Amino acid sequence: MKPFFTIAFSLLLLNVHSQQLVGTLANTEDSYQGYTIISPSSFKTSYLINNCGELINSWESDNFIALMAEIDTEGNLYRLARGENVGGFVGGGIGGQMEKFNWEGDLIWTGNFADEYHHAHHDLEILPNGNILLIQWDKILADEVFASGRDPLTFGDDSLWPDRIIEIEVLENDTYEIVWEWRAWDHIVQDYDSSLDNYGVISEHPEKFNLNLIPTEGGNDLSDWMHINGVAYNEELDLIALSSRHFSEIFVIDHSTTTEEAAGSTGGNFGMGGDILYRYGNAQNYNLGTDLDQVFYGQHDAQWHYDEEIKQWQISVFNNGINRIGGNASSVDIINLPLVGNEFVREANMPFGPNELFFQFPSVLDTNFYASRVCGAQIMPNDNLVISVGSGGFVLEVDTEAEFTAWEDYLFEYLLPVGIAGPVAFDTPDFNSNYFKSKRYAPDYEGFEGRDLTPQGVIELNSPGTDCVVHETVIDFIGEASAKQLKIYPNPANTYCTIEVPENGELKIYNTFGKLIDQVKVRQSDSIQKDLSMYASGLYYLHFQGKENYNTKLIIK
């Protein structure tokens, strides 16, 4: 990755960006304008920046990141950190601690998630109810591993660490409660010892993990068996997506279960308890494919996305491409999920589909575009793709609907201007600037409400200034209008109008540049009297979003 980006980025900058070698290198009007959180791996500060790389806020910790930070709807920052290692765990993403900072930068809560048998690592997900999903190694001692059907000839460590997912509620005084738990160890099958209850034919149980699997990444004697590096929640489906680097697979599990149901194979909205509902990327893990069928290679960051145009749930990943057939090459892959009702459809005796990717960037694999570790990808509301090239320090953005022909086609390009010692000079890139993945928030994200978002200057040192402009993002509402209509009268209006909505939901008003002017949660029983007296004369877009209905109408003032 490093040589490729060193060359490509230098050629581009000589013609376009003068001596600006770090920070924002490109920000076109087609880029999705928002606020991006990014946390350097080798420095103890998390940064929130706009598209011009200007600092909006920062949070300083006493600990290194491990490896992700996110902002909740109240403007607080949750940050995984490297704490005390009491269980002898060793591996990428090691952490064991989570910190909570308020918007002002004060550390207001610290939770310990490391003990002799568990250790939090890599990623977190803030849920709509304010609870948090965490990934933890779940240590199983060798005696239990062998007693459960692992072939002793294929495992030589003193313990195995399959992962577990916990949902925690943050309480006072640095405490928390685990309100839900899922363990991979509760869902294993093996074909080594027929006397055990978990014995079975591997290909007949894709809903289970093969205990005797030797991962395609990681080797056969690593305790870090699965190396789950990403957790993502789907509120509408109440499902969780997981990314396992060592298995080169993604998994979908049911979050609607109780903890008791999650330990078994019944219950929940999908009726399968905590069993694997769907898996993709490496079908040879459940003996329904070969290495020629493998799609993912040590991937990171499985994320949910709903494509409004084709009415299809999707998952995206950064496919690192390590040991990919044809040569090491990375890509961002998007797949359509074979979800019909409450079932992930699979043909008998066949692996889970799809047979083809919905989207891949770059469309033609290039061994020069390669990052062996970390990284992520995020599909934005305008369908742009923000790519976190963490091992190179870059954040890139491309248009998923446009042909990408040259590196000048990036809509946004940013090189992290932070090294081991902190921020670097604007003309002194540090190619050891690494991070896990970034996350870009919409300008109207709830967590920014009432917060001071005034830019504080760029992070890089001694900057002479740039001509970068933060553009307006135009919102494109995709899809057909709902059958139940949104009503506005009178329209045109002078000082006020009445709005009737088809169900409970949220109203947002945008100007013609796509800038959010106002938003309010509404109930179907209400007739909203909207005061327009402070609005300038012109056109405004009123967008309603409910559970079953959505609609956009024009208001003329």
Side-chain angles (χ1 to χ4, degrees), residues 359-380:
F359 172 87
Q360 185 175 70
F361 175 85
S363 57
V364 178
L365 296 177
D366 186 339
T367 55
N368 288 315
F369 185 82
Y370 175 61
S372 63
R373 59 187 182 85
V374 298
C375 301
Q378 182 182 3
I379 304 173
M380 304 312 301

Side-chain angles (χ1 to χ4, degrees), residues 9 25 27 62 135 195 242 274 334 337 375 388 390 414 425 439-440 446 467 470 478 492 510:
F9 133 94
L25 309 176
N27 179 39
D62 292 331
I135 307 164
S195 68
L242 305 172
I334 302 175
L337 297 178
C375 301
S388 297
Y414 182 84
K439 182 173 182 177
R440 186 172 296 177
E446 188 176 351
D467 57 358
V470 176
I478 301 174
Y510 298 86

Side-chain angles (χ1 to χ4, degrees), residues 106 139 158 165 181 214 543:
D106 302 313
K139 183 190 293 185
D158 60 3
I165 307 300
E181 176 188 15
I214 299 175
H543 180 67

Side-chain angles (χ1 to χ4, degrees), residues 171-204:
L171 304 175
E172 297 179 350
N173 302 319
D174 294 341
T175 63
Y176 61 88
E177 179 183 357
I178 297 177
V179 299
W180 184 84
E181 176 188 15
W182 173 89
R183 303 176 70 215
W185 186 247
D186 292 327
H187 306 279
I188 60 173
V189 63
Q190 53 84 26
D191 57 0
Y192 174 74
D193 188 343
S194 60
S195 68
L196 299 177
D197 291 339
N198 62 1
Y199 179 82
V201 177
I202 304 302
S203 62
E204 295 177 358

Side-chain angles (χ1 to χ4, degrees), residues 24 26 146 232 255 291 386 423 430 457 514 555:
T24 294
F146 298 139
H255 178 261
D291 58 349
V386 175
D430 184 342
I555 299 178

Side-chain angles (χ1 to χ4, degrees), residues 35-310:
Y35 299 103
T36 301
I37 188 75
I38 189 167
S39 302
S41 300
S42 57
F43 200 60
K44 299 176 182 180
T45 301
S46 295
Y47 301 95
L48 183 69
I49 59 173
N50 65 14
N51 276 41
C52 284
E54 295 171 309
L55 183 66
I56 303 300
N57 204 358
S58 62
W59 296 265
E60 296 183 10
S61 172
D62 292 331
N63 302 296
F64 290 107
I65 192 79
L67 289 169
M68 191 58 186
E70 291 191 6
I71 300 170
D72 70 8
T73 56
E74 297 180 351
N76 301 306
L77 181 86
Y78 282 96
R79 185 179 188 275
L80 289 176
R82 297 185 201 173
E84 184 180 4
N85 186 353
V86 297
F89 295 93
V90 178
I94 191 165
Q97 189 176 97
M98 184 167 66
E99 302 167 330
K100 179 182 180 181
F101 293 85
N102 61 20
W103 180 263
E104 291 72 27
D106 302 313
L107 179 63
I108 58 176
W109 184 90
T110 301
N112 178 43
F113 295 91
D115 58 35
E116 184 65 30
Y117 291 95
H118 306 101
H119 194 102
H121 60 95
H122 274 95
D123 202 9
L124 63 90
E125 177 82 324
I126 302 175
L127 300 181
N129 64 1
N131 291 348
I132 299 173
L133 294 178
L134 294 175
I135 307 164
Q136 281 189 310
W137 285 310
D138 186 14
K139 183 190 293 185
I140 310 297
L141 298 181
D143 287 346
E144 183 178 352
V145 173
F146 298 139
S148 299
R150 178 69 185 241
D151 182 352
L153 296 179
T154 66
F155 185 72
D157 284 2
D158 60 3
S159 59
L160 186 71
W161 312 338
D163 285 293
R164 75 170 182 169
I165 307 300
I166 58 172
E167 176 184 344
I168 65 111
E169 178 185 1
V170 173
L171 304 175
E172 297 179 350
N173 302 319
D174 294 341
T175 63
Y176 61 88
E177 179 183 357
I178 297 177
V179 299
W180 184 84
E181 176 188 15
W182 173 89
R183 303 176 70 215
W185 186 247
D186 292 327
H187 306 279
I188 60 173
V189 63
Q190 53 84 26
D191 57 0
Y192 174 74
D193 188 343
S194 60
S195 68
L196 299 177
D197 291 339
N198 62 1
Y199 179 82
V201 177
I202 304 302
S203 62
E204 295 177 358
H205 293 281
E207 78 281 5
K208 306 288 187 182
F209 299 100
N210 177 9
L211 179 57
N212 286 291
L213 175 68
I214 299 175
T216 55
E217 302 300 331
N220 69 344
D221 61 348
L222 280 181
S223 293
D224 185 9
W225 188 41
M226 307 173 71
H227 197 88
I228 290 180
N229 55 36
V231 55
Y233 179 66
N234 185 317
E235 180 181 9
E236 183 170 331
L237 301 177
D238 206 3
L239 297 177
I240 296 171
L242 305 172
S243 169
S244 168
R245 173 175 171 83
H246 287 178
F247 282 28
S248 291
E249 265 193 299
I250 61 171
F251 312 109
V252 174
I253 59 174
D254 193 347
H255 178 261
S256 71
T257 58
T258 64
T259 294
E260 182 179 5
E261 290 171 335
S265 300
T266 60
N269 293 339
F270 284 71
M272 293 178 58
D275 280 346
I276 304 168
L277 301 177
Y278 174 77
R279 59 196 303 176
Y280 188 79
N282 194 5
Q284 59 189 321
N285 288 348
Y286 51 101
N287 292 354
L288 282 178
T290 69
D291 58 349
L292 297 177
D293 301 306
Q294 187 171 343
V295 181
F296 296 157
Y297 298 83
Q299 83 294 329
H300 286 76
D301 194 30
Q303 292 290 336
W304 295 95
H305 175 66
Y306 187 76
D307 191 309
E308 288 282 359
E309 189 170 4
I310 63 174

